[in-house]
Amino acid sequence: MGLALLGSVWFFWTAVQPTAGFFTTYPSGYYGMLAAGFRDGSTAVKLQPAEGLLALQDPYDPVANAPYRAHDMTLWQGKYYLYYGVAPLLAFFLPFSVLTGWYSTEQLAVALSCSVAMAVGLALLGAMRRRYFPGSPGWVLGLAAVVLVLASPAARLPLAVQFYQVPIAAAAAFHALMLGAIYRALTARAGGGIWLMVASGVYGLSIGARPNYLLSGGVLALAWVVLVWRGRSRGVIGRAMALGGAAFGPALVAGLGLLFYNWLRFGVPTEFGIKYTLGGERIPDIKLTGLEYVWPHLGNYLFEGGNWGRYFPFFSPPGALPFGAVRYAPWLWLIPLALALRGSGERRGRAALAWSLVIATGANLLLLSFFFGHADRYAPDFVPAALVVAGMGALALGERVRAMRVAAWAVGILAGSTLFFASAVWFKRFPDQAQLLPLARVANTPTQWWEQWRGQTPGGLRLELELPRKREGLSEPLVHSGVSGDARDWLQIAYLPGERARLEFFHAGLGLLRGREFPIPADRRIALELESGALLPPLAHPMFSGWTHFEQAAAKRTLRVRLGDETVLEAAMHFYESTPEDLLIGRMRWGSGGVELEFTGRIERVAQVPARRPALVVTGSGASTPMELEVWFPADRMAGRDPLVLTGEGERSDVLYCEYAGLGRLFFGLYHYGYDLVTSPIIEFDPLVPHSLQVWMGSLADQSGEVSKDGTLPRECWLSVVLNGKTIMNQEQVFYPAAPDRVRVGENHLVRDVVKPIFEGRVVAVKAVPFAALPDPGLLRQYGAVDMTVVFNRAAKGAAEPLVVTGVPGAGNFLYVRYLEHDKLLFGFDHWGIGGFVGEPVVIDLWKPHRLRLTMGALYPADEGVGEWRRRVEVRLNDQVVLAGDYACHPSTRTQVRIGENPIGGSTCGPRFSGQIQRLERTSRPVP
């Protein structure tokens, strides 16, 4: 009981790191929004898909939907659903919300589910010892219990909880309850039908959480056969029918309910919605299950190797992938003893229970291996039951060899090594590594002493080389690091025509980053210096103890190659973990088709260069002026949101961020706490050069309370983002006021569930710039024709997007563009409530910028004589008229003129132009 309580406290403490709590007054997370949808009488999630997403011709295109999608939600007929199991909702989220009026966070659900699964497992171990192995020493039971709590992969589910872990943890809890009920049924003196019915019911819930638990229902059949056989003297047929109803009836009802739920959502009972999921790839193009997956995935789950290192925690798994349960949990080697050894206690139900545990483990593992994806978070589907049956084997061995010291040591070693590996993985994946730094640095201090004794200085490398001759067209390795063929980095030299060469850096999964070419000297001797995060120890190394968090992160993400005094290659990126033992100079550990195995020149000297402590240069004063950031965007990020500027505090904060939409592609966004995200079009960037980012957020303005008298846009309502001189965002936006000391660059400690805690590139400098450096915000609230240069969105086929919108709901005017197939655009005008007209489709080059000149009567004041332009509607694309006609417009004030956005609604076009407005001018009359 005490261990169960301590384990539960540990799970809840882990789950709350680094979030703020377990309850909210609003729907929290995907399951909270699903509960809110159910309370409204719908099976859909209570989250409205973005209009821009619904306007796409193919909303499942992962490139086109990147700015709009809710990741890994199912989109069907204009609504969001979850393909993840509904059982956690029915068993916990919905009842909790109905009874309390609050919403549970997913952290609470996962911690509670893991606690239930652990408590049932501990109860099973205790019951087995009392009933079957009463002579087994207490310390064996203690070891088995500690292993079950600390070494179970379920203990890792509360780490950095997302919606993914909710059905996994819930299914593990239901599965444990099923096995507990099976035990009670097998040991019952009066038939066991009630407990068999309970087992069937919770088995149905486990299917409702994770359908891959389907085959584990075989234990119900085993228990049914055993109970029927026991009572065969009282009539086999009648008893078989009665127990069969108990064993399979509740599960059948649950299965039919799940099919009905699918039919309500998708109109097909067997459709769970996974093929309609929005993510980084098209799910319908993937074969989700197949026999070809089974053997490789069985190897992954049972025998996949991990990585050893000299630094704490000294062992790490292969990323988020599964590592071998049999290889790194030797406690499981005791499973055969549970099947082979009998105890001195009762015999009733012992063999059937052991086989039930084994069947449940094997069935879940087998069906899990049929699925195309594999991840370590799936291990709770089969490992907890395996740990229980291994504990049964330990109890059996303990009773047989109480006096054998060797056997006792063997059991202790199996338990200790299992706990070591599990603890190392837990420490490695703990979400807030800063909390572990004191412990880790103490653990790494002996390693640092050993390195100092050997004269090793963590940092970069300096290589003095003599290059070979006659190697034109080839590439050779210079520095290689990493722990496996798919988790490594290396620096290579490419020999080019005309006695020239180029230094290149390869990151597995990313590819080559090419530096600048240079002439090979006449004596063929060069000296290069490499700075790379792959050459540095982990942040838990004592050498980093005096560095700030930004300095540590910047150093670990820096790639810089110097040739003499010139930097020929530089980028910001992550690197694969590596230790000095993994470092190779002039050769490869694993072959690659694009590079030779060895450097054929002469390595004259290799020297270590002490790590340089980076610094963020901040200039300028006051928070009431725009800021300019010199940034390196990460070369390897394909998804996720990184903070750029955070203002405010708590629930009155704003975060300007960048979100990655594939390699070398990103868009900017603003999160105004409690409101929908505001995003820019997707743009491309070069990760090998620094970028100038000029930013103004209204929260930076002096809070004078003055109201604009001329109707121009006040600074506190203005958002401007300019990248390398090109306007990315220039629009009206509501902000929370912020004090100067509540401005953070490159970090986010407030809304980590929306934006990551730190910018994954590098911010090199921050300085104040004048407002004159930004586009004129007055152009957004001004009468006159619109003259702008735009780049249209290549991924918006089928969408209709606003160019100019005026007026108010019910009395608005729209000039819009619709994206057609084959690089065609269609321009149109709409007069709210009456209609409008469209032009002829035009073919353009979507890769190039284009000049647009637009006019309509609503763009001019009502009391000004504008002649024919009062009724004229016209759009010119470059020098071609693509839309023209006469139409009376609803009148509009200048504050109701919107460029590139549609705040008034209507069905004509979406909420925002997803292309890029590079230049904007306003003229009193149309420019011919």
Side-chain angles (χ1 to χ4, degrees), residues 549-738:
H549 182 62
F550 275 101
E551 291 171 341
Q552 296 169 9
K556 292 289 286 184
R557 291 195 296 266
T558 294
L559 168 66
R560 186 178 294 114
V561 183
R562 292 188 178 91
L563 193 64
D565 295 330
E566 180 186 4
T567 298
V568 295
L569 176 59
E570 186 170 0
M573 57 187 292
H574 285 88
F575 301 89
Y576 292 108
E577 291 185 357
S578 182
T579 67
E581 288 76 18
D582 303 313
L583 184 65
L584 299 178
I585 306 297
R587 59 190 179 94
M588 303 281 283
R589 177 163 290 155
W590 300 277
S592 176
V595 61
E596 303 295 301
L597 289 177
E598 292 190 7
F599 175 64
T600 58
R602 188 157 63 97
I603 301 174
E604 297 183 336
R605 184 170 179 265
V606 178
Q608 290 183 304
V609 179
R612 294 182 175 90
R613 187 169 178 173
L616 174 64
V617 180
V618 181
T619 61
S621 61
S624 58
T625 58
M627 61 178 66
E628 180 176 324
L629 285 63
E630 182 181 346
V631 301
W632 290 80
F633 292 112
D636 57 333
R637 289 295 300 280
M638 299 185 65
R641 300 186 187 118
D642 286 354
L644 293 168
V645 181
L646 168 70
T647 64
E649 195 64 49
E651 296 185 357
R652 296 180 61 80
S653 59
D654 296 276
V655 183
L656 178 71
Y657 64 87
C658 60
E659 182 167 351
Y660 306 99
L663 292 176
R665 305 175 76 241
L666 59 74
F667 57 92
F668 295 91
L670 183 96
Y671 177 59
H672 181 63
Y673 194 99
Y675 292 82
D676 291 338
L677 301 174
V678 177
T679 60
S680 79
I682 295 176
I683 60 174
E684 297 180 352
F685 68 90
D686 185 351
L688 301 183
V689 298
H691 299 270
S692 169
L693 183 67
Q694 295 169 337
V695 173
W696 170 257
M697 299 166 62
S699 49
L700 303 174
D702 290 329
Q703 305 303 316
S704 60
E706 295 183 3
V707 179
S708 174
K709 297 179 180 180
D710 58 359
T712 59
L713 186 65
R715 288 178 177 176
E716 56 265 30
C717 299
W718 176 30
L719 169 65
S720 180
V721 178
V722 179
L723 180 66
N724 300 327
K726 293 184 178 180
T727 300
I728 307 300
M729 303 178 81
N730 187 43
Q731 62 199 60
E732 186 171 349
Q733 173 65 40
V734 177
F735 290 94
Y736 297 108

Side-chain angles (χ1 to χ4, degrees), residues 801-850:
E801 297 181 343
L803 295 171
V804 179
V805 175
T806 65
V808 295
N813 312 280
F814 304 84
L815 285 172
Y816 62 92
V817 61
R818 183 177 294 278
Y819 295 85
L820 306 178
E821 292 283 354
H822 310 300
D823 294 346
K824 291 182 179 179
L825 299 181
L826 182 71
F827 293 88
F829 167 78
D830 183 57
H831 181 78
W832 191 308
I834 298 178
F837 55 93
V838 297
E840 294 294 326
V842 292
V843 179
I844 70 165
D845 186 347
L846 293 176
W847 292 88
K848 295 181 179 179
H850 298 271

Side-chain angles (χ1 to χ4, degrees), residues 738-761:
D741 62 348
R742 290 294 181 266
V743 179
R744 299 287 185 272
V745 174
E747 67 169 314
N748 161 40
H749 62 283
L750 298 177
V751 287
R752 295 188 177 184
D753 57 333
V754 179
V755 180
K756 289 184 176 294
I758 193 168
F759 178 56
E760 297 290 347

Side-chain angles (χ1 to χ4, degrees), residues 262-277:
N262 288 340
W263 178 79
L264 285 177
R265 299 187 296 168
F266 308 115
V268 179
T270 56
E271 177 59 62
F272 287 85
I274 189 171
K275 68 181 181 182
Y276 304 121
T277 304

